[in-house]
Amino acid sequence: MKRRDFIQLTGLSAGAMMMPFTSFGDSVDVSRLLDPLLDSAQKKQLADVALNTTKGLGATYTDVRIGRYLNQFVVTREDKVQNIVNTESYGMGIRVIANGGWGFAAIDKLDNDSIAKAAELAVAIAKENSRLLSEPVRLAHSLGDDDVAHHITSAKTRSVCLK
């Protein structure tokens, strides 16, 4: 490698390191990092849009995840910090089972129309995937909020050794 090529590549690399990491999310001010974007009632309302849409399209299972991801990048050179970038990404993932197949869609724009379109896409993907399956997806039973686990013991409390 010639000296000129080395200097050009080094300069490009140093310049790239000084740029903000916008491909990993939107740059966000440090003072906003701990502010909640939505409260629980707003999240439930957005999730209800997805749940109602998928149910209306024939999905037998739907889960909705609303996530906010905060990242901090510290760029150093030798023993000095060159740059600190805080990024944030926010969005919703919709996972469904329809006609016995899995479907998934994700969005980063949280309005009712975008959520409904993503829910429709997730159901469409699930229905297409179901055509390729030899047998439908079946979820294992697990205890939910309404289910109660009963534990019956046959031992008398006085006969149990505590040592």
Side-chain angles (χ1 to χ4, degrees):
M1 176 181 276
K2 295 181 181 175
R3 184 174 186 271
R4 172 175 273 172
D5 295 335
F6 175 78
I7 291 173
Q8 284 179 333
L9 287 175
T10 305
L12 287 172
S13 299
M17 290 180 67
M18 298 304 288
M19 293 176 64
F21 292 91
T22 56
S23 62
F24 298 110
D26 297 326
S27 186
V28 63
D29 186 54
V30 177
S31 62
R32 285 191 38 232
L33 285 178
L34 297 178
D35 294 340
L37 294 180
L38 298 171
D39 63 17
S40 295
Q42 290 171 312
K43 289 179 183 177
K44 286 180 182 178
Q45 185 272 329
L46 294 173
D48 282 343
V49 172
L51 293 170
N52 292 333
T53 303
T54 58
K55 185 177 181 181
L57 294 171
T60 56
Y61 170 86
T62 301
D63 75 49
V64 177
R65 296 170 189 239
I66 299 173
R68 180 182 184 204
Y69 305 96
L70 303 171
N71 294 303
Q72 185 174 62
F73 300 95
V74 180
V75 181
T76 62
R77 182 169 180 168
E78 295 176 8
D79 63 345
K80 298 196 176 11
V81 174
Q82 300 291 318
N83 196 7
I84 298 175
V85 179
N86 298 304
T87 63
E88 165 187 68
S89 60
Y90 197 76
M92 174 186 284
I94 303 168
R95 186 170 50 175
V96 302
I97 296 177
N99 290 359
W102 281 109
F104 180 81
I107 55 169
D108 61 354
K109 187 176 181 185
L110 297 182
D111 60 66
N112 290 348
D113 292 336
S114 298
I115 293 169
K117 287 178 184 173
E120 291 171 7
L121 178 62
V123 172
I125 291 170
K127 288 180 177 180
E128 285 298 314
N129 284 339
S130 70
R131 296 180 342 147
L132 304 172
L133 299 174
S134 58
E135 63 182 69
V137 172
R138 282 186 225 118
L139 297 178
H141 179 72
S142 65
L143 296 177
D145 293 336
D146 297 333
D147 294 332
V148 178
H150 296 284
H151 181 66
I152 300 170
T153 59
S154 60
K156 295 180 180 175
T157 54
R158 295 194 186 271
S159 65
V160 175
C161 181
L162 299 176
K163 292 183 182 181

